Amino acid sequence: MSYISYDMAPSSPPTDLPPKHVRAARALLAWSQQDLAKAAKVATSTVADFERGSRTPVANNAQAIRNALEAEGIRFLPTGAVIGPAVPIMAPSGRPGMPVRWVDVDDLAAWAGRTDGPVSLPTLLAFLIRATHGHAAPLRFPSDGGVRHPGWDGLTTSEKASDYVPAGEAGWELSAQRIGVAQKIAKDYKKRTDNPAPLDPATSTCIFVTLHHWPQKDEWAKAQITAGPWKDVRVYDADDLVHWIEQTPAVGLWLATRLDKRPKGTRELDEVWEEWSLATQWPLTADLVLSDRDQDAAEVMRWLRGEPSVLSLQATTSEEVVAFFHAAIGELPDDLAQAYRARCLVATSAAAARALADAPAPLILVLTEPDPGLARKLAARGHFVLQAYDEAPTPRGEVRVLERPSREGIANALEDAGIAEPRAKALARDSARNLAVLRRLLPGAPGRLPKWAQEVPPHALLAALMAGGWDDQAEADK
């Protein structure tokens, strides 16, 4: 889906406008609730209560909210899609870069032989296209169970060409088969040429991707182009995939992690979110971590649309900052959110961040151990750098402290997560509007031990626990 305005697209009626669509529209415009309220000439509390789900605005206010968003190019389609003005996203830096190779041809061959390789190959291609081509190319790559469905393994449509994605429409066929690579591709080529729908071969490109090495691929592709009927035919083998992946470290990390080759000091944004969210019996939700932080989320959206720079955010823990960033991106329509995530890595050490400084494409680097000097260096190299500070005293500088969620916001989010109203209100009260405290108040997820219980406690802690409790006259203590 392209993020441009289609005036001829029908819109849904204002009464059918759910809060999540309004939040997505605000994210596309990088607006806070106050910005929307001002444009719609309604109270900020009207927007806040509506988005929180605690109150439905009267018809006039609902229409005013819709009118304000549509005046900026937002369209709410009956299908549930939210589209709007084009969003600039991380233009190439134009400087020479150093590829980051975390996987090689042998790794791809090994992955092809595993159960998860063939079913996750469409996901890999989708990530690569998002990371190098951005969100402007609508794509469809069914993964997991979807790989067994008939039809093309992937479809793309792009107004512009890049190194691996052609302009116009393209159909993609993917294979993890190790033996008879040439025969498999030739068979798939005939099948797709005989039944190219929904593509027109005269104006479309036919692309084959294999996880193995095929030295004769270029000669074969040229022969098919000469014979017709396709406008273009391409083959990407393991060598091409490795070169593509090393241009996109975030995608390389995704694959390296699944191959048990995670680079030291790096984590995926989704991974940090999942571990933070799923640590409690009732998973912490995006609504919770975003509650009453619409100004902060709008600042993140504006930052991502500017020139590469440093943004420093502070919360009780650095993990909460990362969770907030993940949730803020998640407010965007899915393909734009995925385009950002495909370029984002979490660096848990300065050494890991330094190793990514010369990556060829601009990245979003989240530093959980803030280092202002290093952060500025990375930004000067064309990267967007988010420094995640915990509640420890910070050096002088521009550090934005995330707003504390309100009691009402916490209670509503907990109720939506499945917690009964009385307990949700009690947790909101007892947490003192602090999400780190709230996480301690919630029971842990089954089978999960807190961090302090995963290691042998130090002798000093054991001595402290016994202090005042030892009685040398007691038979049990003796």
Side-chain angles (χ1 to χ4, degrees):
M1 181 180 301
S2 179
Y3 292 94
I4 56 177
S5 174
Y6 295 99
D7 291 336
M8 73 290 294
S11 293
S12 57
T15 53
D16 292 340
L17 199 60
K20 67 177 182 179
H21 288 174
V22 173
R23 293 198 301 268
R26 282 200 302 102
L28 278 171
L29 298 175
W31 275 10
S32 65
Q33 292 175 348
Q34 187 176 11
D35 295 327
L36 175 55
K38 182 178 179 180
K41 295 182 174 57
V42 301
T44 302
S45 60
T46 298
V47 177
D49 290 344
F50 170 55
E51 290 190 359
R52 190 181 290 137
S54 60
R55 185 175 66 182
T56 301
V58 298
N60 287 347
N61 286 344
Q63 187 63 58
I65 290 172
R66 174 179 218 117
N67 290 346
L69 294 170
E70 291 184 339
E72 298 297 320
I74 297 295
R75 292 293 180 269
F76 303 98
L77 303 187
T79 58
V82 180
I83 61 176
V87 175
I89 180 170
M90 305 176 67
S93 62
R95 60 168 174 77
M98 184 69 68
V100 180
R101 180 168 291 189
W102 285 333
V103 297
D104 56 29
V105 172
D106 292 337
D107 293 324
L108 292 180
W111 192 47
R114 291 173 23 170
T115 304
D116 61 321
V119 298
S120 297
L121 181 55
T123 301
L124 172 64
L125 266 295
F127 284 169
L128 286 170
I129 294 169
R130 287 284 182 238
T132 56
H133 203 74
H135 64 287
L139 56 83
R140 178 182 176 274
F141 280 85
S143 59
D144 300 324
V147 301
R148 289 184 286 272
H149 294 167
W152 290 93
D153 293 332
L155 293 168
T156 57
T157 304
S158 179
E159 295 180 0
K160 62 177 183 178
S162 60
D163 289 343
Y164 295 95
V165 180
E169 294 185 320
W172 300 65
E173 282 293 298
L174 316 179
S175 173
Q177 182 171 308
R178 180 175 65 88
I179 299 174
V181 173
Q183 291 80 0
K184 173 69 166 72
I185 290 178
K187 179 181 177 182
D188 287 344
Y189 178 77
K190 184 178 186 308
K191 177 175 63 176
R192 294 297 164 223
T193 301
D194 291 342
N195 183 19
L199 303 180
D200 176 6
T203 59
S204 304
T205 301
C206 188
I207 304 175
F208 297 90
V209 179
T210 173
L211 288 174
H212 298 281
H213 184 56
W214 185 22
Q216 293 78 33
K217 65 180 188 298
D218 292 335
E219 290 80 358
W220 180 86
K222 289 178 182 178
Q224 310 316 311
I225 296 171
T226 302
W230 293 92
K231 173 186 174 183
D232 192 11
V233 178
R234 302 184 184 185
V235 180
Y236 301 144
D237 70 356
D239 293 323
D240 299 305
L241 286 178
V242 166
H243 289 305
W244 196 356
I245 294 168
E246 69 184 11
Q247 306 295 316
T248 59
V251 182
L253 172 61
W254 176 85
L255 183 54
T257 300
R258 281 144 187 79
L259 294 169
D260 299 321
K261 293 183 62 177
R262 180 204 301 275
K264 187 176 181 180
T266 58
R267 299 179 71 190
E268 299 172 67
L269 182 63
D270 286 351
E271 174 190 18
V272 178
W273 162 257
E274 289 172 2
E275 292 182 5
W276 186 86
S277 169
L278 300 177
T280 52
Q281 181 177 333
W282 289 279
L284 304 180
T285 64
D287 286 347
L288 175 64
V289 75
L290 289 174
S291 180
D292 302 293
R293 289 171 169 173
D294 58 287
Q295 293 275 9
D296 300 315
E299 180 63 25
V300 167
M301 294 297 104
R302 289 189 287 266
W303 170 64
L304 287 172
R305 297 169 199 206
E307 295 298 319
S309 62
V310 179
L311 176 65
S312 299
L313 300 179
Q314 184 179 37
T316 306
T317 65
S318 60
E319 288 81 6
E320 183 181 335
V321 173
V322 181
F324 164 78
F325 181 63
H326 180 279
I329 291 176
E331 291 291 275
L332 291 162
D334 187 60
D335 37 3
L336 182 54
Q338 291 292 349
Y340 281 125
R341 289 175 184 149
R343 302 187 183 196
C344 183
L345 296 97
V346 179
T348 59
S349 70
R354 288 190 186 94
L356 294 163
D358 292 321
L363 300 171
I364 304 171
L365 297 174
V366 182
L367 308 186
T368 58
E369 292 185 358
D371 183 329
L374 174 60
R376 286 193 290 271
K377 174 185 174 181
L378 293 169
R381 299 287 179 91
H383 304 298
F384 291 75
V385 185
L386 173 62
Q387 296 197 103
Y389 283 91
D390 60 21
E391 61 183 352
T394 60
R396 283 188 173 184
E398 295 183 1
V399 178
R400 185 185 184 98
V401 180
L402 295 180
E403 288 290 333
R404 289 282 184 94
S406 65
R407 283 189 183 181
E408 182 183 8
I410 293 174
N412 285 342
L414 293 177
E415 288 180 50
D416 290 341
I419 299 178
E421 180 181 353
R423 187 171 188 182
K425 290 184 175 180
L427 287 167
R429 180 193 66 238
D430 296 342
S431 67
R433 302 171 58 202
N434 186 312
L435 296 188
V437 173
L438 176 64
R439 292 179 84 228
R440 291 196 289 270
L441 293 174
L442 288 168
R448 174 183 175 269
L449 289 175
K451 187 175 180 179
W452 60 265
Q454 297 175 15
E455 302 174 356
V456 177
H459 291 296
L461 177 59
L462 295 175
L465 291 172
M466 289 189 186
W470 180 275
D471 184 355
D472 60 8
Q473 301 301 314
E475 192 63 32
D477 287 349
K478 292 180 183 179

